Amino acid sequence: MHIDILTLFPEMFDGVLQNSIMKRAQEQNAFSYQYVNFRDYTINKHNKVDDYPYGGGAGLVLSPQPIFDSIHDIKEKADKPPRVVLLCPQGEPYSQQKAEELSKEDHLVFICGHYEGYDERIRQELVTDEISIGDYVLTGGELGAMVVIDSVVRLLPGVLGNAQSAPMDSFSNGLLEHPHYTRPADFRGHQVPDVLLSGNHAKIEEWRHYQSLKRTFERRPDLLKDRELSAKEESWLEEWKNS
């Protein structure tokens, strides 16, 4: 996978992309990236990338020309049209399912905006996906892009090392993840559940499923709204509702 990041502040990404799993993913050639400072594409003498909104109002709006030209340049060099992601509060709420969808692409472009917003023609003509990472407003799209890139890259083949890690994550199967324990089995009087020490893998899987569903029921019941429940899951839910 290759990722182009359109940003006025490329240095913001170095801490994320040059450390930990992201760095290892690059060393494994799982993905590559480049920064595109769209200020470099401006054609006005002051190198401005924004202007006042038509109709008046507070703030400044990103101009279409620098972003159009930078995206055009990226597409000219690409083998096939990339997926172009706009980070914005009005976008589709981000989810694990969206991360899995994007992880199947060969080429992603992220547009990180600033100021009051984007000229609407950027959305209409260039963008394939609009993503919001939450119902709040940030000073720019960089942090949102970092979140999405991290969540996508970790799903690429071989990046996590253990192929079973990603499918077990919270939200991957529609539920929150079950509790985890590690050594020692007795930590200051707090015990690891006996079933995890039993060696009975069938019982362990059932316990994990039970705990995953229970945690979802307690913390994110909205995730269960449209879930098709098995008879066993139904009986567990009745147990918790009546307890």
Side-chain angles (χ1 to χ4, degrees):
M1 173 184 284
H2 179 71
I3 297 175
D4 286 296
I5 305 167
L6 272 66
T7 174
L8 299 174
F9 304 98
E11 63 277 2
M12 289 181 64
F13 287 85
D14 289 343
V16 172
L17 298 179
Q18 291 299 322
N19 288 283
S20 187
I21 290 174
M22 296 299 104
K23 181 178 180 181
R24 189 171 71 198
Q26 293 167 67
E27 292 171 346
Q28 296 172 345
N29 296 317
F31 90 111
S32 60
Y33 70 91
Q34 74 167 354
Y35 303 133
V36 178
N37 190 330
F38 53 89
R39 192 182 299 279
D40 296 339
Y41 285 83
T42 57
I43 58 176
N44 65 78
K45 64 180 180 180
H46 299 296
N47 288 330
K48 286 183 61 179
V49 296
D50 56 352
D51 212 330
Y52 294 103
Y54 280 122
L60 296 168
V61 175
L62 281 175
S63 304
Q65 178 270 314
I67 294 178
F68 265 74
D69 286 355
S70 56
I71 293 288
H72 175 77
D73 193 27
I74 289 170
K75 289 182 175 180
E76 282 285 294
K77 300 172 183 175
D79 294 329
K80 60 181 181 180
R83 193 98 166 244
V84 180
V85 179
L86 186 75
L87 283 305
C88 66
Q90 301 98 324
E92 168 191 350
Y94 194 52
S95 66
Q96 185 66 21
Q97 287 67 40
K98 189 70 172 183
E100 292 168 1
E101 177 188 329
L102 293 176
S103 72
K104 296 176 173 62
E105 298 291 331
D106 294 326
H107 189 179
L108 297 174
V109 178
F110 290 90
I111 304 176
C112 307
H114 272 264
Y115 315 115
E116 187 63 26
Y118 305 92
D119 184 289
E120 189 65 16
R121 290 162 291 190
I122 295 169
R123 300 178 191 274
Q124 294 172 339
E125 303 298 328
L126 300 178
V127 173
T128 60
D129 301 82
E130 294 185 41
I131 289 177
S132 166
I133 63 167
D135 294 339
Y136 47 86
V137 179
L138 299 168
T139 54
E142 281 78 11
L143 291 173
M146 292 177 205
V147 167
V148 176
I149 291 169
D150 183 283
S151 65
V152 168
V153 169
R154 67 188 299 278
L155 295 175
L156 299 178
V159 169
L160 291 182
N162 186 337
Q164 293 303 310
S165 294
M168 295 298 291
D169 287 337
S170 290
F171 307 111
S172 289
N173 63 358
L175 301 175
L176 300 184
E177 197 171 5
H178 57 77
H180 292 277
Y181 295 88
T182 187
R183 292 179 286 187
D186 181 340
F187 178 69
R188 300 178 182 177
H190 301 282
Q191 306 285 337
V192 171
D194 290 337
V195 65
L196 297 179
L197 307 175
S198 68
N200 187 324
H201 295 294
K203 288 289 186 183
I204 290 171
E205 286 307 309
E206 182 178 49
W207 179 88
R208 286 175 170 169
H209 186 188
Y210 178 93
Q211 294 294 333
S212 180
L213 187 67
K214 187 170 189 286
R215 181 162 285 187
T216 306
F217 170 75
E218 292 173 342
R219 301 184 183 189
R220 289 292 305 276
D222 57 294
L223 296 176
L224 301 177
K225 182 179 178 182
D226 299 318
R227 183 180 176 84
E228 291 187 14
L229 299 170
S230 67
K232 180 174 286 188
E233 289 175 328
E234 289 277 13
S235 68
W236 288 342
L237 284 178
E238 286 302 313
E239 170 192 331
W240 302 324
K241 288 175 183 177
N242 297 325
S243 64

Coordinates of all heavy atoms in Angstrom, one line a residue, residues 13-58:
F13 N 3.4 14.3 11.5 CA 3.2 12.9 11.4 C 4.5 12.0 11.8 O 4.3 10.8 11.9 CB 2.9 12.6 9.9 CG 1.5 13.0 9.5 CD1 1.3 14.3 9.1 CD2 0.5 12.0 9.5 CE1 0.0 14.6 8.7 CE2 -0.8 12.4 9.2 CZ -1.1 13.7 8.8
D14 N 5.6 12.6 11.9 CA 6.8 11.9 12.1 C 6.8 11.0 13.3 O 7.2 9.8 13.3 CB 8.1 12.8 12.1 CG 8.4 13.4 10.8 OD1 7.9 12.9 9.8 OD2 9.1 14.4 10.7
G15 N 6.3 11.5 14.4 CA 6.3 10.8 15.7 C 5.4 9.5 15.6 O 5.7 8.5 16.2
V16 N 4.4 9.6 14.8 CA 3.5 8.4 14.6 C 4.1 7.4 13.6 O 4.1 6.2 13.8 CB 2.1 8.9 14.1 CG1 1.2 7.7 13.7 CG2 1.4 9.7 15.2
L17 N 4.5 7.9 12.4 CA 4.9 7.0 11.4 C 6.3 6.5 11.5 O 6.7 5.5 10.8 CB 4.8 7.8 10.0 CG 3.3 8.2 9.7 CD1 3.3 8.9 8.3 CD2 2.4 7.0 9.6
Q18 N 7.1 7.1 12.3 CA 8.5 6.7 12.5 C 8.8 5.9 13.8 O 9.9 5.8 14.2 CB 9.5 7.9 12.4 CG 9.5 8.6 11.0 CD 10.0 7.6 10.0 OE1 10.9 6.8 10.2 NE2 9.4 7.7 8.8
N19 N 7.8 5.4 14.4 CA 7.9 4.6 15.6 C 7.0 3.4 15.6 O 6.1 3.3 14.9 CB 7.6 5.5 16.8 CG 8.6 6.6 17.1 OD1 9.7 6.3 17.6 ND2 8.3 7.8 16.7
S20 N 7.4 2.5 16.5 CA 6.6 1.3 16.8 C 6.2 0.5 15.6 O 6.9 0.3 14.7 CB 5.3 1.8 17.6 OG 4.6 0.7 18.1
I21 N 4.9 0.1 15.6 CA 4.4 -0.8 14.5 C 4.4 -0.1 13.1 O 4.7 -0.8 12.1 CB 3.0 -1.3 14.8 CG1 3.1 -2.3 16.0 CG2 2.4 -2.0 13.6 CD1 1.8 -2.8 16.5
M22 N 4.2 1.2 13.1 CA 4.2 1.9 11.8 C 5.6 1.9 11.2 O 5.8 1.7 10.0 CB 3.8 3.4 12.0 CG 2.3 3.5 12.5 SD 1.1 2.9 11.3 CE 0.6 1.4 12.1
K23 N 6.6 2.0 12.0 CA 8.0 2.0 11.5 C 8.3 0.6 11.0 O 8.9 0.4 10.0 CB 9.0 2.4 12.6 CG 10.4 2.4 12.1 CD 11.4 2.9 13.2 CE 12.8 2.9 12.7 NZ 13.7 3.3 13.8
R24 N 7.9 -0.4 11.8 CA 8.2 -1.8 11.4 C 7.5 -2.2 10.1 O 8.0 -2.9 9.3 CB 7.7 -2.7 12.6 CG 8.2 -4.2 12.3 CD 7.9 -5.0 13.6 NE 6.4 -5.2 13.7 CZ 5.9 -5.6 14.9 NH1 6.6 -5.8 16.0 NH2 4.6 -5.8 15.0
A25 N 6.2 -1.7 10.0 CA 5.5 -1.9 8.7 C 6.2 -1.4 7.5 O 6.2 -2.0 6.4 CB 4.1 -1.3 8.8
Q26 N 6.9 -0.3 7.6 CA 7.6 0.3 6.5 C 8.9 -0.6 6.2 O 9.2 -0.8 5.1 CB 8.0 1.7 6.8 CG 6.9 2.7 6.9 CD 7.3 4.0 7.5 OE1 8.1 4.7 6.9 NE2 6.8 4.3 8.7
E27 N 9.5 -1.0 7.3 CA 10.7 -1.8 7.1 C 10.4 -3.2 6.5 O 11.2 -3.8 5.8 CB 11.4 -2.1 8.5 CG 12.0 -0.8 9.1 CD 12.4 -1.0 10.6 OE1 12.0 -2.0 11.2 OE2 13.1 -0.1 11.1
Q28 N 9.1 -3.6 6.7 CA 8.7 -4.9 6.0 C 8.1 -4.6 4.6 O 7.6 -5.5 4.0 CB 7.6 -5.5 6.9 CG 8.1 -6.0 8.3 CD 6.9 -6.4 9.2 OE1 5.8 -6.1 8.9 NE2 7.3 -7.1 10.2
N29 N 8.1 -3.4 4.2 CA 7.6 -3.0 2.9 C 6.1 -3.2 2.8 O 5.6 -3.5 1.7 CB 8.3 -3.7 1.8 CG 9.8 -3.3 1.7 OD1 10.1 -2.1 1.8 ND2 10.6 -4.2 1.5
A30 N 5.4 -3.2 4.0 CA 4.0 -3.3 4.0 C 3.3 -2.1 3.4 O 2.2 -2.2 2.8 CB 3.4 -3.6 5.4
F31 N 3.9 -0.9 3.6 CA 3.4 0.3 3.1 C 4.5 1.3 3.0 O 5.5 1.2 3.6 CB 2.2 0.8 3.9 CG 2.6 1.8 5.0 CD1 2.2 3.1 5.0 CD2 3.3 1.3 6.2 CE1 2.6 4.0 6.0 CE2 3.6 2.2 7.2 CZ 3.2 3.5 7.1
S32 N 4.2 2.3 2.1 CA 5.1 3.5 2.0 C 4.2 4.7 2.0 O 3.0 4.6 1.9 CB 5.9 3.4 0.7 OG 5.0 3.4 -0.4
Y33 N 4.8 5.9 2.2 CA 4.0 7.1 2.3 C 4.9 8.3 1.8 O 6.1 8.2 1.8 CB 3.5 7.3 3.7 CG 4.6 7.7 4.7 CD1 4.9 9.1 4.9 CD2 5.3 6.7 5.4 CE1 5.9 9.4 5.8 CE2 6.3 7.1 6.3 CZ 6.6 8.4 6.5 OH 7.5 8.8 7.4
Q34 N 4.2 9.3 1.5 CA 4.9 10.6 1.2 C 4.0 11.7 1.6 O 2.8 11.6 1.6 CB 5.3 10.7 -0.3 CG 4.2 11.0 -1.2 CD 4.7 11.5 -2.6 OE1 5.9 11.7 -2.8 NE2 3.8 11.6 -3.5
Y35 N 4.6 12.8 2.1 CA 3.9 14.0 2.4 C 3.8 14.9 1.2 O 4.7 15.0 0.4 CB 4.7 14.8 3.5 CG 5.0 14.1 4.8 CD1 6.2 14.1 5.3 CD2 4.0 13.4 5.4 CE1 6.5 13.4 6.5 CE2 4.2 12.7 6.6 CZ 5.5 12.7 7.1 OH 5.8 12.1 8.3
V36 N 2.7 15.5 1.0 CA 2.4 16.5 0.0 C 2.0 17.7 0.6 O 0.8 17.8 1.1 CB 1.4 15.9 -1.1 CG1 1.2 17.0 -2.2 CG2 1.8 14.6 -1.7
N37 N 2.8 18.7 0.7 CA 2.4 20.0 1.2 C 1.8 20.8 0.1 O 2.4 21.3 -0.8 CB 3.6 20.8 1.8 CG 3.3 22.0 2.6 OD1 2.2 22.6 2.3 ND2 4.1 22.4 3.5
F38 N 0.4 20.9 0.2 CA -0.3 21.5 -0.9 C 0.0 23.0 -1.1 O -0.4 23.6 -2.0 CB -1.8 21.2 -0.9 CG -2.5 21.5 0.3 CD1 -3.1 22.7 0.6 CD2 -2.7 20.5 1.3 CE1 -3.8 22.9 1.7 CE2 -3.4 20.7 2.5 CZ -4.0 21.9 2.7
R39 N 0.7 23.6 -0.1 CA 1.1 25.0 -0.2 C 2.1 25.1 -1.4 O 2.2 26.2 -2.0 CB 1.7 25.5 1.1 CG 1.9 27.1 1.1 CD 2.5 27.6 2.3 NE 1.7 27.3 3.5 CZ 0.7 28.0 3.9 NH1 0.3 29.0 3.2 NH2 0.0 27.7 5.0
D40 N 2.8 24.1 -1.6 CA 3.8 24.1 -2.7 C 3.1 24.2 -4.1 O 3.8 24.5 -5.1 CB 4.6 22.8 -2.7 CG 5.5 22.7 -1.5 OD1 5.7 23.7 -0.8 OD2 5.9 21.5 -1.1
Y41 N 1.8 24.0 -4.2 CA 1.1 24.0 -5.4 C 0.4 25.3 -5.7 O -0.3 25.5 -6.7 CB 0.1 22.8 -5.5 CG 0.7 21.5 -5.8 CD1 1.3 20.8 -4.7 CD2 0.8 21.0 -7.0 CE1 1.9 19.6 -4.9 CE2 1.5 19.8 -7.2 CZ 2.0 19.0 -6.2 OH 2.6 17.8 -6.4
T42 N 0.5 26.2 -4.8 CA -0.3 27.5 -4.9 C 0.3 28.3 -6.1 O 1.5 28.2 -6.4 CB -0.2 28.4 -3.7 OG1 1.2 28.6 -3.3 CG2 -0.9 27.7 -2.5
I43 N -0.5 29.0 -6.8 CA -0.1 29.8 -7.9 C -0.2 31.3 -7.6 O 0.1 32.2 -8.5 CB -0.9 29.5 -9.2 CG1 -2.4 29.7 -9.0 CG2 -0.6 28.1 -9.6 CD1 -3.2 29.4 -10.2
N44 N -0.7 31.7 -6.4 CA -0.7 33.1 -6.1 C 0.6 33.5 -5.5 O 1.3 32.7 -4.9 CB -1.9 33.4 -5.2 CG -1.7 32.8 -3.8 OD1 -1.0 33.2 -2.9 ND2 -2.5 31.7 -3.6
K45 N 1.0 34.8 -5.6 CA 2.3 35.3 -5.2 C 2.6 35.2 -3.7 O 3.7 35.2 -3.3 CB 2.5 36.7 -5.7 CG 1.6 37.7 -5.1 CD 1.9 39.1 -5.7 CE 1.0 40.2 -5.1 NZ 1.3 41.5 -5.6
H46 N 1.5 35.1 -2.9 CA 1.7 35.0 -1.4 C 1.6 33.6 -0.9 O 1.7 33.4 0.3 CB 0.6 35.9 -0.7 CG 0.7 37.3 -1.1 ND1 1.8 38.1 -0.8 CD2 -0.2 38.1 -1.8 CE1 1.5 39.4 -1.3 NE2 0.3 39.4 -1.9
N47 N 1.5 32.6 -1.8 CA 1.4 31.2 -1.4 C 0.3 30.9 -0.4 O 0.4 30.1 0.5 CB 2.7 30.7 -0.8 CG 3.8 30.6 -1.8 OD1 3.6 30.3 -3.0 ND2 5.1 30.8 -1.4
K48 N -0.8 31.6 -0.6 CA -2.0 31.4 0.3 C -2.7 30.2 -0.2 O -2.9 30.0 -1.4 CB -2.9 32.6 0.2 CG -2.4 33.9 1.0 CD -3.4 35.0 0.9 CE -4.7 34.5 1.6 NZ -5.8 35.6 1.6
V49 N -3.2 29.4 0.8 CA -4.1 28.3 0.5 C -5.5 28.4 0.9 O -6.3 27.5 0.8 CB -3.5 27.0 1.1 CG1 -2.1 26.7 0.6 CG2 -3.4 27.1 2.6
D50 N -5.8 29.6 1.4 CA -7.2 29.9 1.9 C -7.7 31.2 1.5 O -6.9 32.1 1.0 CB -7.2 29.7 3.5 CG -6.2 30.7 4.1 OD1 -5.4 31.3 3.4 OD2 -6.2 30.8 5.4
D51 N -9.0 31.5 1.7 CA -9.5 32.8 1.4 C -10.8 32.9 2.2 O -11.3 32.0 2.8 CB -9.8 32.9 -0.1 CG -9.6 34.3 -0.6 OD1 -9.9 35.3 0.2 OD2 -9.2 34.5 -1.8
Y52 N -11.4 34.2 2.1 CA -12.6 34.5 2.8 C -13.8 33.8 2.2 O -13.8 33.6 0.9 CB -12.9 36.0 2.9 CG -11.8 36.7 3.7 CD1 -10.8 37.4 3.1 CD2 -11.8 36.6 5.1 CE1 -9.8 38.0 3.8 CE2 -10.9 37.3 5.9 CZ -9.9 38.0 5.2 OH -8.9 38.6 6.0
P53 N -14.8 33.3 2.9 CA -15.9 32.6 2.3 C -16.9 33.6 1.6 O -17.1 34.7 2.1 CB -16.6 32.0 3.6 CG -16.2 32.9 4.7 CD -14.8 33.3 4.4
Y54 N -17.4 33.2 0.5 CA -18.4 33.9 -0.2 C -19.6 34.0 0.7 O -20.0 33.0 1.4 CB -18.8 33.3 -1.5 CG -17.9 33.6 -2.7 CD1 -17.2 32.5 -3.4 CD2 -17.7 34.9 -3.1 CE1 -16.4 32.8 -4.4 CE2 -16.8 35.2 -4.1 CZ -16.2 34.1 -4.8 OH -15.4 34.4 -5.9
G55 N -20.3 35.1 0.8 CA -21.5 35.3 1.6 C -21.1 35.8 3.0 O -22.0 36.0 3.8
G56 N -19.8 35.9 3.3 CA -19.4 36.3 4.6 C -19.4 35.2 5.7 O -19.7 34.1 5.4
G57 N -19.0 35.6 6.9 CA -18.9 34.6 8.0 C -17.5 34.6 8.5 O -16.6 35.1 8.0
A58 N -17.4 33.9 9.7 CA -16.2 33.8 10.4 C -15.2 32.8 9.7 O -15.7 31.8 9.1 CB -16.4 33.4 11.8

